């Protein structure tokens, strides 16, 4: 059967073509990243963390004039950590296109969005565009009239704050100040041109583990933890690991 269904997991359907991509060497698609985000959400089962599906992140990035009604169902203001995927696709009519993935993470304890890019900031402008779109809606007191500012000049000249120094103080949970945008300079870097998606899911997993651990940790210490636990080994092992996960879920389901 052509492109047969392999697994239905939550609201994700994986097909044989998705597994062909996962076997590599190929750039991961929305379905595989969306599946793994769903798996992380189920595994950690934490109401404080939201993993936004890639298709929804893409929609948020490219939808003009977002308002509170548009994003209310996502309940951003109740989350301590929000994890978005970033894609360099500029064509709103072709949601499956693009050639690079990265991760944009909102951390309420830092009042900041941190961009983790495994290719030296290649997706910086795309991440900043998503940040501009959603930053008015993550505060607890977001007002209905709030709208993101959008201009090519602001994107070119935005603040590339480095990670922990500017964010040591913790703002009030009720603060309405817009969060900072931070381009992480310590994100582990990929060794080839197509494994960016593996770094996205590996970093997302460590962030979920970090924020659900019982020990009290300072937010700025997450960055060296990512360097320690996410490295070039993901390019050698993570595809097989996800393939095994899919097979295990298929058998158990």
């Amino acid at each position: 059967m052509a492109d047969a269904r392999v697994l239905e997991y939550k609201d994700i359907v994986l097909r044989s073509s998705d597994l062909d991509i996962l076997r590599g060497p190929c750039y991961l698609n929305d379905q595989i990243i969306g599946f793994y985000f769903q798996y992380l959400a189920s595994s950690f089962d934490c109401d404080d963390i939201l993993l936004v599906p890639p298709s929804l992140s893409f929609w948020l990035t490219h939808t003009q004039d977002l308002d509170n009604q548009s994003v209310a169902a996502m309940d951003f203001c109740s989350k301590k950590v929000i994890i978005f995927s970033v894609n360099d696709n500029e064509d709103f009519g072709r949601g499956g296109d693009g050639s690079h993935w990265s991760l944009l993470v909102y951390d309420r304890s830092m009042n900041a969005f941190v961009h983790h890019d495994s290719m030296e900031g290649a997706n910086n402008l795309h991440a900043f565009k998503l940040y501009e779109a959603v930053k008015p809606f993550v505060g607890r007191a977001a007002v209905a009239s709030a709208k993101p500012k959008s201009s090519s000049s602001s994107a070119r000249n935005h603040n590339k704050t480095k990670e922990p120094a500017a964010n040591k103080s913790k703002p009030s949970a009720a603060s309405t100040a817009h969060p900072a945008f931070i381009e992480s300079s310590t994100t582990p870097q990929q060794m080839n041109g197509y494994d960016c998606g593996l770094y996205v899911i590996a970093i997302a997993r460590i962030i979920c583990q970090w924020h659900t651990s019982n020990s009290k940790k300072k937010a700025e210490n997450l960055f060296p933890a990512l360097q320690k636990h996410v490295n070039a080994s993901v390019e050698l092992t993570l595809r097989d690991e996800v393939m095994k996960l899919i097979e295990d879920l298929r058998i158990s389901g």
Side-chain angles (χ1 to χ4, degrees), residues 87-103:
N87 192 275
D88 63 354
N89 181 17
E90 292 282 6
D91 187 348
F92 194 38
R94 296 175 63 87
D97 284 0
S99 61
H100 185 53
W101 292 104
S102 58
L103 207 65

Side-chain angles (χ1 to χ4, degrees), residues 1-36:
M1 182 184 297
D3 209 12
R5 291 190 177 201
V6 175
L7 177 69
E8 294 185 31
Y9 183 79
K10 310 297 182 181
D11 58 353
I12 297 289
V13 175
L14 293 178
R15 298 182 177 274
S16 57
S17 59
D18 298 314
L19 268 60
D20 290 341
I21 289 171
L22 184 56
R23 291 185 184 97
C26 297
Y27 166 89
L28 297 190
N29 63 7
D30 295 41
Q31 286 297 98
I32 296 169
I33 293 176
F35 157 73
Y36 201 78

